[in-house]
């Protein structure tokens, strides 16, 4: 018995010993972001945590980090998580109190609001005015990330005019002698003709008029009036309501169900992912679908592939339809995507905060499109130097995909400065890889530059109940309207569905959103 | 009578074979598809609903993957974690299970503690805090130590040890063996089947380690293959929830295509494909040995 006890003791000791041995050897690798920040020659340690789309994921050590450290006299300790897994990781980091100096986020979400209200982030209102590139951000864009008037996040520019817009096969229209549709009636005629009249001339009925994907990914709205996610219409009490429960959406669902009956929409659309519709569009089998200015890479329209499948294809945007109230235009959101917050732990280290902001400010330098070449020191540095991080092709910076996330500071720190003249859209025209893509981007850019935009007011306020419930509520409407389109539920059930929406929490969301708008003096406006 | 019977059984055989071949094809087809897509050009892939034979064989996807060493590095990390963690886990689990199978002091207390963690797990954040405070963050050992003992495996293994007749260890004791010798020379050799089974369980869960790697490890150089794979595959076939802004941001640095995703999965599967047949053989043999001796 004694021997056994001794054995137990020995074994437990062995276990403990092996534990300490393993953990002990890694003592040195833990990174603490503490720095007194005062000395001017000693680099300031800055810890940065962010999500990323870069692939491979940028690593904490390498030429790019060295370059940043040297340029700004800092010791940058980075940590990037693929955005796909970012939410879980950031939640754990924040909850454990292990908060980095600079935190990146994709958008204003419930977590951002919660942590800001709990005081995790440093208010930045007083700092911004000292930095010209941050000061250049217009007030309407700050609106969307202010919490009770306080700024916690520094956004990165993304054209508010971007995002997928309806596009059409112009060559099919011409071949069948049809004009560009300007309302839903004409659109229906075009979609039917695209389906029945063999627009690709191969003698087979293998074309679809209108592309439609599961859950209405890419809303078939042809203007702000019909958009499901835009708060355009008002109810009887004068409150703004989301587009998906408005009468205009009912008309849209009616239109879709007629097209579905007529076979101009895929029979399987309710289970087809948007990715598959892109595949069909690229194969030259779909007449009306969505694309944005630029180049969606492999997640969108691929002009190279489309040309191989349909050499004569010409893709152009469908201009917004004239609305019953006389307006005409596209919905838009705030002109930013992704932001940085600074940890509230730095409130006693203004030097460090200034160093960080100085760095972010410099990264937001806007370089005119014609100066983006190796002769521009900033561009060359940002992209990791010609020959190592990028090459020039037709006067365009072409990143080396495998090297970029090691050598290009651009892969580490967001660097989209505020553009006010749509010159960012012109860049897309220039960087188009194919002549067809160039023609499309030209047409799209011209259209976006000349079009009117309705600024979606719900994107300019922060409503917690909207954040919590909108996804679920929109899903409900999307499910029910899907049933209506395929004929499983009569469209006459519309009012019943809206009632259900209200009782599921929609009423509360509408009330709160309207209160917030009133409080911040924001309404839907055309620009 | 006999002839018709044998004809009947031959017919049954044929039907059996047909069904089994069909099932086999259903199992193999995804692999075949993976290979074919990985060698196709993206243009071909987009064009067809179902690709059965590439129009042209291209190596673009493999060139992309071989161009960056990320995938191979992560496979190395995963192999190390799998081997080290499996051995470590087996050692700790066997030692503890054996101790708890003996009639020692505090046996009930320790058993209760183990059962307790079985029912109430600590949750992500407390576990993260423990890992952080033990300075294991950003170390490969964070994937090995915190999950070293699986309480379910421990309890089952203890049951197994309990089933070994006590007389065996008593005989060894009389022959002059001490407890450590009894454990290593008598009990462990008798437990090969259970060690093989639990080794397999541990190896599979370590090979699939994903969430812990994301959570505890910041340095991409130490990421396991599952993390890297997910990055490649998900970017290749972007989730429907991805915002337009995200897509536009990605477009400036185009993500890999589906063909690259397939190639990456294939390369990451090869180690398992190579090892598994041998492992399985050994595993089956271990079970037989145990059965004869036990």
């Amino acid at each position: 018995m004694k021997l056994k006890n001794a054995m137990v003791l020995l074994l437990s000791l062995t276990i403990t010993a092996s534990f300490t041995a393993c953990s002990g050897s890694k003592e040195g690798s833990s990174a603490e972001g503490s720095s007194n920040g005062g000395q001017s020659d000693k680099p300031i340690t800055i810890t940065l945590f962010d999500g990323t789309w870069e692939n491979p994921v940028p690593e904490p050590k390498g030429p790019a980090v060295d370059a940043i450290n040297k340029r700004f006299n800092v010791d940058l300790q980075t940590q990037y998580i693929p955005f796909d897994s970012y939410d879980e990781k950031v939640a754990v980091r924040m909850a454990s109190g292990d908060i980095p100096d600079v935190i990146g986020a994709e958008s204003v979400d419930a977590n951002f609001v919660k942590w800001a209200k709990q005081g995790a982030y440093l208010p930045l209102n007083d700092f911004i005015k000292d930095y010209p590139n941050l000061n250049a951000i217009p007030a309407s864009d700050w609106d969307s990330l202010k919490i009770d008037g306080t700024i916690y996040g520094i956004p990165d520019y993304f054209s508010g005019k971007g995002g997928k817009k309806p596009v059409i096969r112009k060559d099919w229209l011409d071949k069948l002698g049809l004009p560009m549709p300007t309302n839903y009636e004409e659109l229906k005629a075009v979609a039917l003709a695209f389906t029945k009249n063999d627009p690709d001339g191969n003698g087979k009925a293998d074309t679809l008029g209108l592309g439609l994907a599961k859950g209405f990914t890419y809303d078939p709205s042809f203007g702000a009036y019909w958009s499901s996610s835009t708060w355009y219409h008002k109810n009887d009490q004068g409150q703004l309501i989301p587009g998906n429960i408005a009468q205009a959406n009912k008309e849209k669902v009616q239109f879709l169900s007629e097209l579905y009956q007529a076979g101009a929409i895929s029979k399987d659309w309710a289970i087809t992912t948007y990715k598959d519709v892109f595949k069909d569009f690229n194969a030259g089998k779909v007449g009306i679908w969505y694309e944005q200015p630029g180049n969606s890479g492999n997640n969108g329209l691929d002009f190279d592939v489309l040309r191989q499948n349909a050499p004569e294809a010409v893709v152009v945007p469908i201009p917004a339809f004239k609305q019953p109230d006389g307006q005409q235009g596209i919905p838009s959101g705030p002109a930013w995507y992704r932001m940085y917050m600074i940890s509230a732990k730095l409130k006693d280290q203004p030097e460090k905060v200034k160093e960080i902001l100085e760095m972010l400010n410099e990264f937001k330098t806007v370089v005119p499109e014609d100066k983006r070449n190796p002769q521009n020191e900033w561009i060359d540095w940002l992209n990791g130097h010609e020959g190592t991080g990028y090459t020039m092709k037709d006067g365009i910076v072409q990143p080396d995909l495998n090297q970029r996330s090691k050598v290009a500071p651009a892969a580490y720190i967001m660097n989209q400065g505020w553009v006010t003249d749509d010159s960012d859209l012109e860049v897309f025209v220039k960087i188009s890889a194919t002549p067809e893509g160039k023609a499309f981007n030209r047409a799209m850019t011209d259209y976006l530059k000349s079009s009117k935009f309705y600024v979606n007011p719900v994107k300019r306020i922060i409503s917690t109940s909207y954040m919590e419930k909108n996804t679920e509520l929109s899903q409900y409407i999307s499910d029910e309207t899907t049933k209506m389109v395929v004929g499983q539920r009569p469209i006459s059930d519309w009012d019943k569905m809206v009632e259900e929406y209200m009782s599921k929490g929609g009423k509360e969301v509408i009330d709160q959103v309207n209160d917030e708008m009133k409080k911040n003096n924001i309404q839907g406006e055309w620009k | 009578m006999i002839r018709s019977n044998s004809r009947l059984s031959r017919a049954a055989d044929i039907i059996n074979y047909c069904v089994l071949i069909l099932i086999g094809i259903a199992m193999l087809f995804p692999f075949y598809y993976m290979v074919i897509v990985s060698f196709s050009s993206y243009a071909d892939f987009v064009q067809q609903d179902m690709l059965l034979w590439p129009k042209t064989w291209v190596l673009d996807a493999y060139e992309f993957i071989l161009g960056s060493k990320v995938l191979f590095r992560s496979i190395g990390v995963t192999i190390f974690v799998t081997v080290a963690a499996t051995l470590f886990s087996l050692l700790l689990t066997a030692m503890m299970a054996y101790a708890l199978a003996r009639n020692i002091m505090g046996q009930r207390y320790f058993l209760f503690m183990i059962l307790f963690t079985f029912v109430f797990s600590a949750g992500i954040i407390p576990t993260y805090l423990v890992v952080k405070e033990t300075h294991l963050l950003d170390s490969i050992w964070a994937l090995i130590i915190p999950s070293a003992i699986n309480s379910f495996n421990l309890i089952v293994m203890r049951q197994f040890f309990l089933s070994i007749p006590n007389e065996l260890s008593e005989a060894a004791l009389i022959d002059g063996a001490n407890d450590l010798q009894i454990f290593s020379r008598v009990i462990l050799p008798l437990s090969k089947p259970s060690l093989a089974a639990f080794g397999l369980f541990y190896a599979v869960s370590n090979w699939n380690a994903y969430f812990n790697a994301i959570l505890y490890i910041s340095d991409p150089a130490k990421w396991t293959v599952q993390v890297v794979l997910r990055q490649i595959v998900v970017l290749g076939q972007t989730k429907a929830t991805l915002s337009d802004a995200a897509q536009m941001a990605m477009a400036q640095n185009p993500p890999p295509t589906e063909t690259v995703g397939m190639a990456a999965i294939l390369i990451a599967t090869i180690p398992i494909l190579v090892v598994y047949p041998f492992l399985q053989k050994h595993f089956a043999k271990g079970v037989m040995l145990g059965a004869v001796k036990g």
Side-chain angles (χ1 to χ4, degrees):
Chain A
M1 201 60 193
K2 247 187 183 163
L3 189 67
K4 272 178 192 165
N5 286 344
M7 272 307 295
V8 172
L9 192 69
L10 185 72
L11 283 180
S12 55
L13 274 179
T14 326
I15 295 171
T16 331
S18 57
F19 265 84
T20 39
C22 299
S23 56
S25 64
K26 285 286 162 185
E27 197 83 37
S29 72
S30 76
E32 284 297 322
S34 59
S35 149
N36 48 8
Q39 290 103 352
S40 55
D41 38 20
K42 194 170 161 270
I44 297 177
T45 303
I46 295 172
T47 53
L48 181 150
F49 176 88
D50 197 2
T52 186
W53 292 117
E54 300 286 339
N55 181 49
V57 173
E59 300 194 5
K61 288 199 171 56
V65 177
D66 294 342
I68 296 171
N69 286 346
K70 195 165 153 240
R71 192 176 189 109
F72 298 98
N73 191 30
V74 293
D75 175 16
L76 186 67
Q77 299 181 349
T78 62
Q79 188 182 348
Y80 297 93
I81 296 293
F83 266 123
D84 180 42
S85 323
Y86 166 86
D87 284 347
E88 293 121 0
K89 174 101 181 184
V90 77
V92 170
R93 286 287 300 253
M94 299 302 280
S96 69
D98 186 12
I99 303 174
D101 298 334
V102 184
I103 308 113
E106 247 191 309
S107 59
V108 170
D109 58 10
N111 274 340
F112 169 73
V113 176
K114 184 172 81 188
W115 292 327
K117 286 190 171 165
Q118 287 173 356
Y121 305 135
L122 192 70
L124 298 171
N125 301 44
D126 300 339
F127 291 98
I128 285 158
K129 59 180 185 315
D130 302 333
Y131 302 94
N133 293 335
L134 306 185
N135 225 1
I137 301 172
S140 61
D141 290 328
W142 285 119
D143 281 348
S144 55
L145 44 75
K146 270 185 195 166
I147 296 176
D148 300 330
T150 310
I151 293 170
Y152 295 102
I154 293 177
D156 206 38
Y157 178 80
F158 164 76
S159 178
K161 299 183 177 180
K164 299 276 195 288
K165 308 283 180 274
V167 297
I168 192 166
R169 285 283 297 273
K170 180 84 170 43
D171 55 311
W172 285 9
L173 277 181
D174 294 346
K175 186 153 186 225
L176 302 178
L178 294 162
M180 178 69 84
T182 59
N183 57 42
Y184 274 97
E185 270 313 303
E186 289 172 26
L187 185 73
K188 192 174 150 192
V190 167
L192 285 173
F194 277 4
T195 312
K196 315 264 177 199
N197 300 357
D198 192 24
D200 59 354
N202 67 353
K204 281 186 254 172
D206 57 352
T207 52
L208 274 180
L210 182 71
L212 192 61
K214 184 169 82 177
F216 302 97
T217 303
Y218 307 132
D219 184 18
S221 66
F222 296 80
Y225 186 86
W226 296 275
S227 161
S228 289
S229 56
T230 304
W231 292 51
Y232 185 85
H233 300 273
K234 287 189 172 154
N235 63 11
D236 300 339
Q237 290 96 54
Q239 288 176 310
L240 275 173
I241 55 167
N244 55 6
I245 58 164
Q247 210 56 29
N249 197 32
K250 186 178 171 185
E251 290 162 24
K252 191 169 76 191
V253 168
Q254 180 71 44
F255 155 79
L256 290 173
S257 88
E258 284 163 20
L259 281 187
Y260 179 80
Q261 294 299 330
I265 296 174
S266 162
K267 282 281 166 242
D268 301 327
W269 76 269
I271 50 164
T272 308
T273 64
Y274 79 85
K275 182 92 188 163
D276 287 329
V277 186
F278 270 117
K279 222 172 125 175
D280 289 345
F281 193 97
N282 287 334
K285 291 177 190 155
V286 176
I288 298 166
W289 182 233
Y290 291 80
E291 184 52 314
Q292 62 201 2
N295 156 26
S296 298
N298 306 308
N299 298 302
L301 237 153
D302 188 323
F303 285 97
D304 208 23
V305 176
L306 182 60
R307 179 187 39 209
Q308 290 172 38
N309 294 316
E312 67 290 345
V314 178
V315 183
V316 295
I318 304 177
F321 295 166
K322 191 140 198 169
Q323 302 177 180
D325 60 359
Q327 293 284 8
Q328 190 174 13
I330 323 167
S332 85
W336 63 272
Y337 168 64
R338 291 174 69 182
M339 59 178 168
Y340 283 127
M341 285 79 77
I342 295 180
S343 166
K345 286 182 179 168
L346 300 189
K347 66 172 180 292
D348 302 324
Q349 301 175 47
E351 291 303 316
K352 188 164 163 178
V353 176
K354 281 179 189 159
E355 180 66 44
I356 293 170
L357 290 174
E358 211 155 279
M359 203 163 91
L360 298 184
N361 179 61
E362 190 158 344
F363 267 93
K364 290 213 190 305
T365 306
V366 177
V367 178
E369 188 261 326
D370 56 344
K371 297 231 167 58
R372 297 187 189 184
N373 53 44
Q375 284 74 49
N376 184 304
E377 192 271 337
W378 173 249
I379 288 295
D380 188 51
W381 181 83
L382 195 63
N383 291 294
H385 303 295
E386 191 176 14
T388 50
Y390 70 101
T391 49
M392 291 303 283
K393 201 179 137 212
D394 307 328
I396 303 156
V397 172
Q398 295 276 359
D400 177 332
L401 292 187
N402 269 325
Q403 290 304 313
R404 179 181 146 92
S405 52
K406 292 191 198 91
V407 302
Y412 283 74
I413 298 189
M414 294 182 242
N415 48 65
Q416 300 292 319
W418 240 258
V419 182
T420 44
D421 55 356
D422 290 335
S423 62
D424 55 322
L425 297 176
E426 293 292 341
V427 173
F428 287 124
V429 180
K430 195 170 171 195
I431 66 171
S432 310
T434 58
E436 292 85 356
K438 203 178 208 93
F440 167 76
N441 277 322
R442 180 77 266 154
M444 187 55 114
T445 298
D446 290 345
Y447 165 58
L448 292 176
K449 279 168 105 169
S450 62
S451 180
K452 271 178 90 180
F453 284 85
Y454 174 77
V455 185
N456 191 358
V458 78
K459 298 276 171 67
R460 291 176 62 186
I461 51 121
I462 289 175
S463 149
T464 44
S465 61
Y466 174 79
M467 278 174 190
E468 279 162 19
K469 296 197 176 128
N470 184 52
T471 313
E472 197 189 319
L473 287 169
S474 304
Q475 184 64 44
Y476 170 72
I477 296 290
S478 154
D479 289 348
E480 295 310 306
T481 46
T482 298
K483 285 183 202 160
M484 289 178 185
V485 172
V486 301
Q488 277 181 16
R489 191 173 177 182
I491 299 178
S492 53
D493 264 9
W494 186 269
D495 293 337
K496 226 195 230 166
M497 178 189 80
V498 173
E499 261 168 47
E500 182 77 357
Y501 173 93
M502 291 298 184
S503 67
K504 275 176 181 288
K507 174 106 185 62
E508 194 190 322
V509 171
I510 290 171
D511 286 346
Q512 203 191 37
V513 165
N514 279 281
D515 282 351
E516 286 293 328
M517 283 182 199
K518 206 171 279 169
K519 215 161 50 180
N520 296 295
N521 200 18
I522 281 167
Q523 47 220 316
E525 55 191 60
W526 287 94
K527 248 194 333 208
Chain B
M1 244 349 236
I2 293 165
R3 277 178 73 140
S4 82
N5 198 358
S6 84
R7 203 179 285 158
L8 203 72
S9 81
R10 269 188 71 184
D13 276 352
I14 288 168
I15 291 171
N16 273 345
Y17 277 117
C18 287
V19 170
L20 289 176
I21 286 169
L22 277 179
I23 294 176
I25 289 173
M27 300 287 163
L28 281 176
F29 184 74
F31 279 96
Y32 171 77
Y33 187 67
M34 211 158 79
V35 175
I36 292 303
V37 170
S38 75
F39 283 106
S40 312
S41 71
Y42 183 66
D44 280 356
F45 171 73
V46 171
Q47 230 165 323
Q48 263 106 21
D49 286 337
M50 180 66 88
L51 208 60
L52 290 179
W53 194 252
K55 270 192 199 153
T56 45
W57 292 80
V58 290
L59 291 169
D60 293 356
Y62 291 93
E63 264 169 33
F64 179 84
I65 288 175
L66 300 176
S68 85
K69 302 197 169 50
V70 177
L71 187 69
F72 290 98
R73 189 178 62 190
S74 67
I75 290 178
V77 170
T78 298
I79 290 176
F80 173 77
V81 169
T82 305
V83 172
T86 305
L87 292 177
F88 189 67
S89 295
L90 268 185
L91 181 72
L92 292 192
T93 311
M95 288 201 300
M96 193 159 183
Y98 178 64
L100 290 174
R102 306 286 96 183
N103 197 8
I104 55 157
M105 204 177 67
Q107 183 201 28
R108 289 173 68 91
Y109 170 76
F110 282 110
L111 267 178
F112 173 76
M113 293 298 274
I114 288 158
L115 275 173
F116 192 81
T117 65
F118 194 36
V119 182
F120 304 96
S121 74
I124 296 170
I125 290 161
T127 314
Y128 180 85
L129 285 174
V130 170
V131 173
K132 184 186 162 212
E133 293 305 320
T134 45
H135 299 287
L136 282 173
L137 275 189
D138 228 2
S139 148
I140 285 180
W141 293 98
L143 302 180
I144 298 175
I145 296 170
S147 54
I149 296 182
N150 175 311
S151 36
F152 176 77
N153 290 355
L154 182 91
I155 287 165
V156 177
M157 204 183 243
R158 175 179 173 267
Q159 282 321 110
F160 182 85
F161 286 142
L162 283 176
S163 72
I164 296 176
N166 219 6
E167 287 77 8
L168 278 176
S169 24
E170 278 168 10
L173 199 64
I174 290 166
D175 288 343
N178 61 31
D179 271 3
L180 202 57
Q181 282 169 325
I182 295 174
F183 176 65
S184 61
R185 303 250 176 99
V186 179
I187 302 296
L188 283 188
L190 283 177
S191 315
K192 273 182 192 158
S194 81
L195 288 179
F198 291 111
L200 208 66
F201 290 161
Y202 279 125
V204 168
S205 76
N206 285 312
W207 182 268
N208 291 332
Y210 163 73
F211 193 63
N212 281 355
I214 276 284
L215 220 49
Y216 301 142
I217 294 180
S218 314
D219 183 355
K222 292 176 194 150
W223 274 345
T224 59
V225 69
Q226 309 298 346
V227 179
V228 173
L229 261 191
R230 186 165 158 134
Q231 166 86 342
I232 294 175
V233 173
V234 167
L235 282 187
Q237 45 186 255
T238 321
K239 292 189 296 185
T241 50
L242 207 58
S243 68
D244 289 340
Q247 290 189 19
M248 211 146 140
M250 282 163 69
Q252 297 176 345
N253 180 29
T257 62
E258 265 121 336
T259 59
V260 171
M262 292 295 187
I265 297 174
L266 200 68
I267 290 178
T269 317
I270 286 173
I272 290 277
L273 283 182
V274 170
V275 170
Y276 201 77
F278 299 102
L279 210 79
Q280 203 183 21
K281 196 171 130 200
H282 181 81
F283 179 55
K285 208 165 127 195
V287 173
M288 296 287 279
L289 271 176
V292 173
K293 276 188 186 168

